[in-house]
Amino acid sequence: MIVGEVVGESAPKGYVRRVVDAEIASALRALPAVVLEGPRACGKTSTGRQHARSEVLFAGNAGARTAAGVDPAGLLAGAEPRLLDEWQLAPEIWNHMRAAADESRRPGRFILTGSAAPADDITRHTGAGRVKRVRMRPMSLFETGLSSGEIGLGDLFEGFAGYVEPPPVSLSDLVEAACRGGWPASIGLGVEAAQEYAGSYLDEVCRADIPQLGTARSTVRLRRLLRSLARNVATEVSQRTLAADVGGEMPLDPRTVAAYLDALACVYATEDLPAWSTALRSRASLRQTPKRHLADPSLAVAALGASPKQLYGDLATFGLLFESMVIRDLRVYAQPLGGELAHYRDSNGLEVDAIVERRDGSWLAIEIKLGGEPAIDQAARTLLKLRDAIDVSRSAKPSKLLIITATSYGYDRPDGTTVVPVTALGP
């Protein structure tokens, strides 16, 4: 059989509830189809099964892929919501799903999961009112249990924060969390085994995931590019610099690097942080270069070949990995709020690590620091400079000026900034 019925009793044991679960449930009550997109092994299938009553698995199932072209109506028939897992392996099923949704506009019919973005022409005709796309990412610290979540990102938009005791999580715990990553399969593993998992993940990205896109890419160059991205994680490294780094004595054409970056983005192995655009009081111009991030800090650690001991002894490098881990978590927490992340930098040299902006125009400005009073004071000065640089006649005032730290108390400072340890942050 190519179709298996999934009922509550057969749901995976030990499932950890994800932040996107509420978003998926809400979308299924309103729309015929939900598409879960994100990197391989981030938990899309397990999460989809929590909301599905039947399933079709296309990965490793040639019969299901054949049926998508021969008997698509039969393939789509079953208890609803029906999970179509890794649907991009049988892309012709998209239009049949869309037609079925048109025939009966009732909500909650299909859940599609995908670990690679299909060609644009496949999904060009989605149709308004049919499909909700939900991005999944590796698990946040809140989802893995390293954050209490007592300070919600949504509460910060409302101005709430207050005093929080230092969490019972050490800096070495956070170093290990960055090495282990947010992959569901790694949560119960020791750090060494989890790092083996992340290393094999990168191998599969280069060996299998990118070639499945149908465009030839050099595995050696892909590995070099991933290592270069890891060395430059959370920075605005340019394609030209990456090209020189990857090519060595014979630098690559930046357009070739751009094609490789596109391929990595298509399999959700990377997720750059775009620059924020807003109205300024001054004549400073805004910089538009994105900051580079891999899907999870563990991939950067694996590409560097680093160990927890090495990172603990090199806090400058870990500081960038910590920033990347916080950005991952902020993306998880911001999505249900309709929030988008960006970073800020202008020609006067003012730079802020993250901006979270909601659709209604409200926003948070965030500096990310490992901790220590001098670093927190500097972060506060930076945030206050940004606040003063914004033209509030054309843009809303920030809801919060936030300093996210590794380990510290959480508190409101007299200057109007707020310190929150990442291990107390949640959705």
Side-chain angles (χ1 to χ4, degrees), residues 32-99:
V34 173
V35 180
L36 302 183
E37 299 174 320
R40 177 171 53 83
C42 72
K44 297 183 302 298
T45 302
S46 295
T47 294
R49 281 174 166 164
Q50 300 306 301
H51 302 269
R53 297 185 58 228
S54 66
E55 68 180 25
V56 182
L57 308 178
F58 289 109
N61 194 337
R65 296 194 295 272
T66 300
V70 176
D71 185 22
L75 197 70
L76 294 175
E80 297 174 355
R82 188 159 181 76
L83 175 64
L84 307 176
D85 189 57
E86 298 294 349
W87 74 270
Q88 81 280 354
L89 299 177
E92 62 271 26
I93 201 65
W94 177 269
N95 281 333
H96 296 291
M97 179 278 298
R98 185 172 59 86

Side-chain angles (χ1 to χ4, degrees), residues 19 140-143 145-155 164 167 333 420-427:
V19 172
S140 65
L141 295 180
F142 173 69
E143 290 166 317
L146 269 181
S147 171
S148 66
E150 57 193 295
I151 297 180
L153 191 66
D155 293 333
V164 176
Y333 306 151
V420 174
V422 70
T423 46
L425 191 63

Side-chain angles (χ1 to χ4, degrees), residues 38-40 42 135-139 181-183 201-202 205 226 229 233 264-265 267-272 292-300 324-325 327-329 331-332:
R40 177 171 53 83
C42 72
R135 181 68 177 261
M136 282 195 68
R137 298 176 174 87
M139 300 172 78
W183 310 105
Y201 189 105
L202 288 182
V205 166
L226 285 164
L229 287 170
V233 72
L264 289 170
V267 297
Y268 305 105
T270 58
E271 188 174 4
D272 288 347
R292 308 293 181 180
H293 290 275
L294 278 78
D296 190 86
S298 65
L299 299 183
S324 193
M325 183 163 62
I327 293 297
R328 178 202 65 192
D329 286 10
R331 281 173 161 146
V332 172

